[in-house]
């Protein structure tokens, strides 16, 4: 049974990986990146997520390696805390409570026990030494003011001698020893000659007095002699045609890396115009650039939520792809029936398949199949609609481009799933399926459906029925889609369409009117008219509620019609923005929008009383939602939570944050324990295997019975504190091996099972002694070992007799004491 806890909204992955610069480990084996409330640790070789560092209660805004211990990582968050992690084992070491929102974090090897953070004013925070896990860090000292909150606008140079900060048209340099600040100003963009001089980012040379700054106009300025406000100089490097997004010097300082909206990484060797190297076609705008401490790897973070790991010779070696945050999600949220992956708009012209379980992208499907041109003034072809049908065998997509009202380019494509290639192959392409924009499309997914059927609705006032037909000829066998029926209702715009669960009825909404059609004869059966505004959402009930039809209007009315009586069953005043039916139950989830935020209502169409209500699930507007069937059903006993037993509900906000409802904490959902369990299950059955605490549960019972008296069983070590402490404590914080040896060996000792004096017969010796002279008078005794898994470590060890003491006892036994009975 699931422990009854409050249902709460949790992040379920898909957070931005490109929010801040990624950080390499000292040996370049791992890369760290912020992801919402978490810090994720990825392998630079396998691209797999090794650990998820969870503990912050708000957005993580900065990460840095501990300069005094490269096996530790600092992180800061908007929750006002700085946390110190052991990233190898994924363990939180200490939390420093600052008490105000932290926007960025910097560490310096020269500044012992201090870190630099950006608050309302940038301050170094002194980290007090304490043995407790939570410590208040209140010692703050002021360094620079009037700075940008972005960490790209601050850099420490020449081994911490100074710090440079840029904002708008100003460059400020603070010298720690002198405690003085130099300020440099560029001409304002109001002057056309000096247009777009705004600073965008800054980087400092690691060993020399040189500052590189990026600007809106694509120029890079190298500042020198900035110790004197009057003698300073700068030189310009120019290749980027748009703003410079980020800069980074190599570890030795011999080259400068820059990136921007061209999706090209530029390496300026010796900081000269002539010596340039390029890594083009990286797929999206470069937002951050990082360099590994060893200098062998670079990494770029991109606007499509992607991190690319690059070798020193400018060759891409690994790609870590998160949930792509597109400009707008036109297709909504869908679930691939085969992979159970979340499907939605990805990078321009693509559908992305995203695994909710592993929190990573599976693959992209190129729908438009045209090269994307990154130009703000250019009207692009947009992927506007998509739908899965026939249990994942078919996929329908719609793409359109409209430069003027009279110039509409519309195309519908039907994709067939190919088992050999394990992907979708284009089957049919239909140009201009309608004369105006397509508003909805749906497949008939009834189990008894003999022929695949697709319905499209359009603003041109028609809905069309498309069926799969045999186009085979004498040369080859082929199937394709063709139009079978066209319907309309008084030339109103068709806005929504959906099939009933058994596929017998089709509901099409024409503005304020809902029409019901027979899917066999395509006859109009009945109409429902509720003069409460245009129908925004439409769906049939399922299972026992299949006789109901639900519709939500733009004027904030939710209606439920009974298809048997052809009458309005009930209505409610609710401004529904999202309405999704659960495919595994009768439940319907509706999210309403108010001035305060978004609220969730879960109900059955058979009664207007909601099963579950949760207010304020999000402060921002919720745009899409979807039910995802569970692989393993839950077992909530509370009636209010039973709607989560078979499916889980996910929703997407306006800022494209993916959220869900759960009683489990986010770390329980996201921690990749499956890989660890898989590794442990594959361990061989050796003594070391038993020390790790994993035992074979499916062993042959007969074999155990026959060998029970012959084999010495090793103790169960799962509950022994000494072993669990040894195995679960990070190696670099353990005491010396000499100290642990005695404790570890004592924990493995076995205590013997001894019988009481009443149970031991007179003719049985305590131990078999073959070398003794009186061995023929002794009986064999089989020693049994007691399981010590439940015994304490401090038990007294039973005293064992020596051989000489045993011989003395045998002599006493041979003496005849029968004469005593005659007394």
């Amino acid at each position: 049974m699931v422990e009854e806890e409050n249902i709460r909204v949790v992040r379920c992955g898909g957070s931005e990986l490109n929010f801040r610069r990624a950080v390499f480990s000292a040996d370049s084996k791992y890369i760290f990146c912020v992801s919402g409330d978490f810090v994720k640790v990825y392998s630079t070789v396998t691209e797999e997520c090794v650990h998820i560092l969870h503990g912050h209660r708000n957005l993580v805004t900065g990460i840095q390696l501990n300069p005094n211990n490269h096996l530790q990582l600092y992180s800061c968050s908007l929750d006002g805390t700085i946390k110190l992690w052991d990233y190898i084992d994924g363990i939180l070491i200490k939390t420093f409570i600052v008490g105000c929102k932290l926007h960025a974090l910097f560490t310096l090897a020269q500044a012992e026990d201090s870190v630099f953070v950006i608050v309302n004013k940038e301050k170094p925070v002194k980290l007090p030494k304490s043995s407790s896990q939570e410590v208040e860090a209140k010692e703050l000292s002021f360094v620079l003011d009037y700075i940008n909150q972005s960490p790209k606008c601050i850099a420490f140079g020449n081994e911490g001698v100074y710090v440079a900060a840029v904002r708008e048209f100003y460059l400020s340099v603070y010298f720690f020893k002198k405690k003085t600040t130099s300020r440099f100003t560029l001409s304002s963009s109001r002057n056309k000659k000096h247009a777009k001089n705004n600073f965008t980012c800054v980087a400092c040379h690691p060993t020399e007095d040189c500052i590189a700054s990026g600007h809106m106009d694509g120029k890079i300025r190298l500042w020198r002699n900035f110790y004197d406000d009057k003698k300073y100089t700068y030189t310009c490097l120019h290749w980027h045609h748009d703003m410079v997004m980020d800069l980074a010097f190599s570890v030795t300082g011999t080259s400068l890396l820059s990136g921007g909206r061209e999706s090209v990484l530029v390496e300026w060797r010796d900081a000269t115009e002539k010596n340039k190297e390029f890594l083009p076609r990286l797929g999206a705008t470069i937002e951050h650039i990082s360099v590994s401490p060893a200098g062998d790897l670079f990494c770029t973070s991109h606007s499509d939520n992607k991190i690319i790991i690059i070798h020193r010779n400018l060759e891409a070696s690994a790609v870590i792809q998160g949930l792509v945050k597109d400009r707008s999600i036109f297709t909504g949220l869908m679930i691939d029936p085969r992979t159970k992956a979340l499907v939605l708009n990805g990078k321009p012209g693509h559908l992305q398949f995203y695994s909710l379980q592993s929190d990573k992208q599976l693959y992209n499907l190129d729908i438009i199949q045209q090269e994307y041109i990154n130009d703000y003034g250019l009207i692009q072809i947009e992927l506007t609609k998509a739908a899965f049908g026939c249990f994942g065998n078919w996929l329908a997509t719609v793409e359109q481009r409209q430069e003027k009202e009279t110039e509409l380019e519309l195309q519908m494509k039907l994709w067939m799933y190919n088992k050999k290639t394990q992907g979708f192959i284009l089957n049919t392409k239909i140009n201009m399926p309608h004369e105006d924009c397509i508003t909805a499309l749906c497949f008939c997914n009834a189990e008894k459906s003999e022929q695949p059927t697709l319905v499209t609705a359009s603003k041109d006032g028609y809905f069309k029925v498309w069926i799969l037909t045999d186009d085979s000829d004498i040369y080859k066998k082929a199937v394709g889609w063709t139009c079978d029926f066209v319907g309309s209702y008084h030339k109103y715009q068709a806005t929504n369409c959906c099939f009933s669960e058994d596929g017998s009825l089709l509901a099409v909404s024409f503005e304020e009117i809902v029409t019901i059609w027979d899917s066999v004869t395509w006859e109009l059966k009945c109409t429902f008219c509720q003069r409460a505004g245009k129908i925004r959402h439409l769906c049939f009930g399922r299972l026992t509620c299949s006789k109901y039809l639900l519709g939500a209007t733009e004027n904030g009315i939710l209606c439920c019609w009974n298809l048997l009586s052809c009458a309005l069953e009930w209505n409610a005043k609710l401004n529904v923005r999202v309405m999704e039916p659960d495919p595994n139950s009768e439940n319907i989830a509706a999210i309403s929008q108010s001035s305060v935020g978004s609220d969730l209502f879960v109900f059955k169409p058979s009664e207007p009383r909601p099963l579950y209500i949760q207010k304020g699930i999000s402060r921002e507007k919720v745009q899409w939602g979807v039910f995802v069937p569970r692989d393993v059903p839950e077992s909530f006993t509370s009636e209010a939570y039973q709607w989560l037993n078979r499916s889980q509900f996910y929703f997407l906000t306006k800022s494209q944050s993916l959220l869900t409802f759960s009683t489990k904490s986010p770390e329980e959902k996201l921690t990749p324990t499956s890989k660890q369990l898989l590794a442990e299950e594959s361990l061989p059955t050796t003594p070391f295997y038993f020390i790790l605490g994993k035992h074979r549960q499916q062993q042959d019972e007969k074999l155990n019975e026959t060998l029970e008296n012959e084999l010495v069983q090793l103790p169960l070590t799962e509950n022994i504190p000494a072993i669990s402490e040894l195995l679960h404590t990070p190696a670099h914080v353990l005491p010396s091996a000499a100290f642990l040896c005695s404790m570890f060996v004592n924990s493995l000792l076995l205590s013997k099972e001894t019988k009481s004096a009443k149970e031991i017969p007179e003719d049985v010796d305590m131990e078999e002694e073959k070398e003794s002279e009186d061995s023929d008078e002794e009986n064999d005794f089989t020693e049994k070992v007691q399981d010590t898994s439940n015994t304490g470590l401090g038990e007294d060890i039973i005293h064992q007799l020596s051989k000489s003491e045993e011989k003395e006892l045998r002599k006493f036994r041979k003496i005849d004491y029968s004469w005593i009975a005659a007394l």
Side-chain angles (χ1 to χ4, degrees):
M1 302 296 289
V2 176
E3 184 180 354
E4 296 298 330
E5 298 180 4
N6 292 329
I7 298 291
R8 60 182 182 273
V9 178
V10 298
R11 295 180 187 271
C12 52
S15 300
E16 292 183 357
L17 301 177
N18 59 342
F19 180 62
R20 289 289 186 259
R21 283 192 186 117
V23 175
F24 284 95
S25 61
D27 55 6
S28 302
K29 290 183 179 180
Y30 304 103
I31 190 169
F32 316 101
C33 58
V34 303
S35 177
D37 300 349
F38 313 116
V39 179
K40 292 188 177 180
V41 185
Y42 287 94
S43 168
T44 56
V45 178
T46 65
E47 306 173 8
E48 290 294 321
C49 183
V50 181
H51 289 298
I52 297 177
L53 308 180
H54 46 78
H56 286 291
R57 297 182 179 179
N58 207 332
L59 188 68
V60 179
T61 54
I63 49 175
Q64 290 289 338
L65 284 177
N66 184 357
N68 301 318
N69 187 340
H70 292 303
L71 297 177
Q72 296 176 352
L73 182 78
Y74 281 112
S75 67
C76 72
S77 169
L78 293 180
D79 62 8
T81 63
I82 300 173
K83 294 184 182 292
L84 181 63
W85 307 87
D86 169 19
Y87 64 79
I88 296 293
D89 296 288
I91 297 173
L92 175 62
I93 299 175
K94 190 164 291 189
T95 300
F96 302 94
I97 303 173
V98 181
C100 55
K101 288 185 177 181
L102 308 177
H103 299 283
L105 176 71
F106 305 92
T107 57
L108 283 179
Q110 292 77 16
E112 295 183 359
D113 300 329
S114 295
V115 296
F116 291 82
V117 294
I118 295 179
V119 289
N120 293 332
K121 294 180 180 179
E122 184 184 0
K123 301 178 180 180
V125 180
K126 187 164 185 177
L127 303 179
K129 294 182 179 180
S130 174
S131 58
S132 60
Q133 194 164 5
E134 289 193 2
V135 184
E136 288 193 7
K138 296 298 183 182
E139 289 192 43
L140 307 178
S141 59
F142 167 80
V143 175
L144 271 176
D145 63 348
Y146 195 68
I147 61 173
N148 199 309
Q149 289 184 353
S150 173
K152 293 192 291 186
C153 296
I154 293 178
F156 291 80
N158 201 353
E159 298 179 351
V161 174
Y162 57 87
V163 57
V166 295
R167 179 171 179 173
E168 296 177 354
F169 305 100
Y170 303 95
L171 168 64
S172 303
V173 183
Y174 177 83
F175 303 95
F176 287 99
K177 290 184 179 179
K178 297 180 181 179
K179 294 185 179 180
T180 58
T181 304
S182 299
R183 296 185 184 275
F184 308 95
T185 307
L186 291 177
S187 300
S188 172
S189 60
R190 294 174 184 175
N191 185 350
K192 293 183 180 180
K193 184 179 178 181
H194 303 284
K196 295 184 179 180
N197 276 341
N198 312 58
F199 287 91
T200 57
C201 54
V202 66
C204 294
H205 197 283
T207 56
E208 299 177 4
D209 292 332
C210 177
I211 299 174
S213 61
H215 300 266
M216 287 285 292
D217 56 3
K219 291 182 180 179
I220 300 170
R221 287 179 169 85
L222 299 175
W223 302 75
R224 292 182 174 87
N225 300 326
F226 44 80
Y227 285 94
D228 193 332
D229 293 355
K230 297 179 180 179
K231 295 182 180 180
Y232 74 92
T233 61
Y234 65 78
T235 57
C236 284
L237 304 175
H238 196 188
W239 179 85
H240 299 277
H241 81 278
D242 208 331
M243 65 182 294
V244 180
M245 297 295 292
D246 201 9
L247 294 169
F249 277 96
S250 62
V251 174
T252 58
T254 56
S255 62
L256 175 67
L257 300 170
S258 65
R261 289 176 176 161
E262 304 85 3
S263 306
V264 178
L265 180 65
V266 185
E267 182 180 9
W268 308 81
R269 294 183 178 174
D270 301 322
T272 59
E273 286 267 6
K274 296 180 180 179
N275 298 332
K276 293 192 298 290
E277 296 290 338
F278 302 96
L279 179 59
R281 301 181 184 90
L282 294 179
T285 299
I286 297 175
E287 294 194 343
H288 299 96
I289 302 173
S290 303
V291 180
S292 66
D296 57 339
L297 294 177
F298 305 142
C299 102
T300 54
S301 302
H302 297 262
S303 58
D304 61 349
N305 206 21
K306 172 179 62 184
I307 294 176
I308 299 179
I309 299 170
I310 302 165
H311 281 297
R312 185 65 184 81
N313 58 357
L314 294 187
E315 288 185 2
S317 63
V319 177
I320 300 169
Q321 178 69 70
L323 182 67
V324 177
K325 304 301 179 73
D326 196 16
R327 292 168 297 174
S328 54
I329 307 298
F330 295 111
T331 62
L333 304 182
M334 301 172 290
I335 298 298
D336 180 13
R338 293 181 177 273
T339 62
K340 300 297 186 294
L342 183 69
V343 183
L344 67 160
N345 284 105
K347 60 184 183 179
H350 291 68
L351 275 179
Q352 62 173 323
F353 290 69
Y354 191 83
S355 172
L356 294 166
Q357 288 73 27
S358 59
D359 191 26
K360 67 178 182 180
Q361 189 182 94
L362 299 179
Y363 65 96
N364 268 306
L365 180 61
D366 189 357
I367 302 297
I368 294 179
Q369 298 179 342
Q370 289 186 11
E371 189 68 27
Y372 179 76
I373 301 173
N374 188 3
D375 191 344
Y376 288 112
L378 182 64
I379 298 177
Q380 309 283 352
I381 300 176
E382 299 286 355
L383 174 62
T384 57
K385 298 291 179 183
F388 286 95
C390 306
F391 310 102
N393 291 326
W394 289 97
L395 169 65
T397 60
V398 176
E399 55 199 65
Q400 73 176 37
R401 180 180 182 272
Q402 188 169 14
E403 191 166 354
K404 298 179 182 179
E405 291 185 2
T406 57
E407 298 177 1
L408 175 66
E409 299 176 20
L410 195 64
Q411 196 172 66
M412 183 170 70
K413 295 177 180 177
L414 281 303
W415 306 77
M416 181 175 62
Y417 184 80
N418 189 296
K419 294 182 179 180
K420 292 182 179 179
T421 61
Q422 294 292 302
F424 287 94
I425 298 176
L426 182 61
N427 175 267
T428 305
K429 184 189 298 183
I430 304 170
N431 288 316
M432 295 303 295
H434 287 270
E435 298 299 322
D436 206 341
C437 299
I438 293 179
T439 57
L441 74 163
C442 65
F443 279 93
C444 179
N445 290 320
E447 294 183 2
K448 298 180 180 180
S449 179
E450 297 179 357
Q451 190 175 36
T453 306
L454 171 70
V455 174
T456 57
S458 172
K459 288 183 179 180
D460 62 3
Y462 297 96
F463 73 91
K464 293 185 178 181
V465 180
W466 308 83
I467 61 173
L468 186 65
T469 58
D470 191 352
D471 290 342
S472 302
D473 52 25
I474 60 174
Y475 299 103
K476 61 179 180 178
K477 184 178 181 180
V479 292
W481 290 80
T482 184
C483 183
D484 181 59
F485 177 78
V486 179
S488 65
Y489 188 81
H490 297 293
K491 296 184 180 180
Y492 290 131
Q493 290 184 352
T495 53
N496 294 278
C497 60
C498 63
F499 278 96
S500 61
E501 187 179 15
D502 59 358
S504 61
L505 297 177
L506 170 68
V508 183
S509 63
F510 292 89
E511 298 183 14
E512 298 180 351
I513 300 171
V514 180
T515 59
I516 308 297
W517 304 75
D518 189 337
S519 63
V520 178
T521 61
W522 299 118
E523 294 181 359
L524 179 62
K525 290 295 184 181
C526 66
T527 60
F528 299 118
C529 182
Q530 185 72 21
R531 298 292 181 182
K534 293 183 179 180
I535 302 295
R536 182 186 289 165
H537 301 287
L538 198 66
C539 74
F540 280 93
R542 295 175 182 272
L543 302 177
T544 60
C545 298
S546 59
K547 64 180 179 178
Y548 298 104
L549 176 66
L550 290 163
T553 68
E554 292 182 351
N555 292 349
I557 302 296
L558 177 62
C559 304
C560 179
W561 293 281
N562 191 321
L563 298 174
L564 299 180
S565 62
C566 295
L568 181 67
E569 188 80 7
W570 56 266
N571 62 2
K573 191 173 182 180
L574 198 65
N575 184 21
V576 178
R577 305 297 304 183
V578 174
M579 186 167 67
E580 286 293 325
D582 182 4
N584 292 335
S585 69
E586 300 92 345
N587 301 323
I588 306 287
I591 297 178
S592 67
Q593 182 69 29
S594 64
S595 59
V596 180
S598 299
D599 305 324
L600 172 72
F601 297 86
V602 180
F603 61 94
K604 292 183 179 181
S606 56
E607 53 180 327
R609 181 180 63 87
L611 299 172
Y612 180 77
I613 300 176
Q614 183 160 338
K615 299 284 187 178
I617 61 173
S618 175
R619 293 183 179 179
E620 53 184 333
K621 180 181 176 181
V622 176
Q623 291 186 321
W624 303 101
V626 67
F627 274 98
V628 181
R630 295 184 186 272
D631 294 331
V632 180
E634 297 283 2
S635 55
F636 292 103
T637 56
S638 174
E639 184 180 353
Y641 299 160
Q642 286 184 3
W643 65 280
L644 286 171
N645 280 346
R646 297 182 180 180
S647 302
Q648 193 165 0
F649 186 67
Y650 292 83
F651 61 95
L652 193 72
T653 62
K654 187 176 181 180
S655 63
Q656 298 187 8
S657 297
L658 188 61
L659 306 171
T660 188
F661 298 90
S662 177
T663 56
K664 296 181 179 180
S665 59
E667 52 268 21
E668 289 177 324
K669 291 183 62 58
L670 292 178
T671 303
T673 55
S674 57
K675 289 178 286 187
Q676 301 172 9
L677 294 175
L678 184 63
E680 290 177 359
E681 291 294 337
S682 62
L683 290 175
T685 309
T686 62
F688 221 86
Y689 169 87
F690 286 102
I691 292 177
L692 289 176
K694 295 295 295 181
H695 294 271
R696 302 275 184 188
Q697 296 181 354
Q698 298 179 350
Q699 292 180 342
D700 188 53
E701 295 181 359
K702 295 182 180 180
L703 182 63
N704 287 342
E705 291 176 1
T706 56
L707 300 179
E708 183 181 9
N709 296 328
E710 300 177 9
L711 295 180
V712 177
Q713 299 178 1
L714 290 174
L716 297 173
T717 59
E718 293 175 341
N719 300 321
I720 297 180
I723 298 178
S724 61
E725 190 173 331
L726 177 65
L727 295 175
H728 292 88
T729 306
H732 59 278
V733 295
L734 277 174
S736 64
F739 175 80
L740 294 172
C741 185
S742 59
M743 181 179 66
F744 178 71
V745 172
N746 286 334
S747 68
L748 297 177
L749 291 178
L750 309 177
S751 60
K752 285 191 174 183
E753 180 182 5
T754 57
K755 296 185 178 181
S756 61
K758 295 180 180 179
E759 295 175 341
I760 301 177
E762 292 183 357
D763 59 340
V764 177
D765 289 335
M766 293 297 297
E767 184 179 357
E768 182 182 7
E769 185 70 25
K770 293 183 179 180
E771 297 177 0
S772 175
E773 297 175 356
D774 305 315
S775 59
D776 55 325
E777 297 178 2
E778 296 173 358
N779 294 325
D780 292 341
F781 176 75
T782 303
E783 178 182 293
K784 291 187 178 182
V785 180
Q786 181 182 3
D787 188 353
T788 61
S789 60
N790 296 323
T791 60
L793 293 178
E795 271 192 20
D796 296 331
I797 299 176
I798 300 173
H799 177 71
Q800 297 185 6
L801 299 177
S802 62
K803 292 183 178 181
S804 59
E805 290 175 339
E806 291 178 357
K807 288 182 179 180
E808 289 293 329
L809 288 175
R810 292 192 189 98
K811 290 180 181 179
F812 280 103
R813 195 189 67 176
K814 292 177 181 178
I815 299 175
D816 186 11
Y817 294 103
S818 58
W819 58 271
I820 298 178
L823 293 177

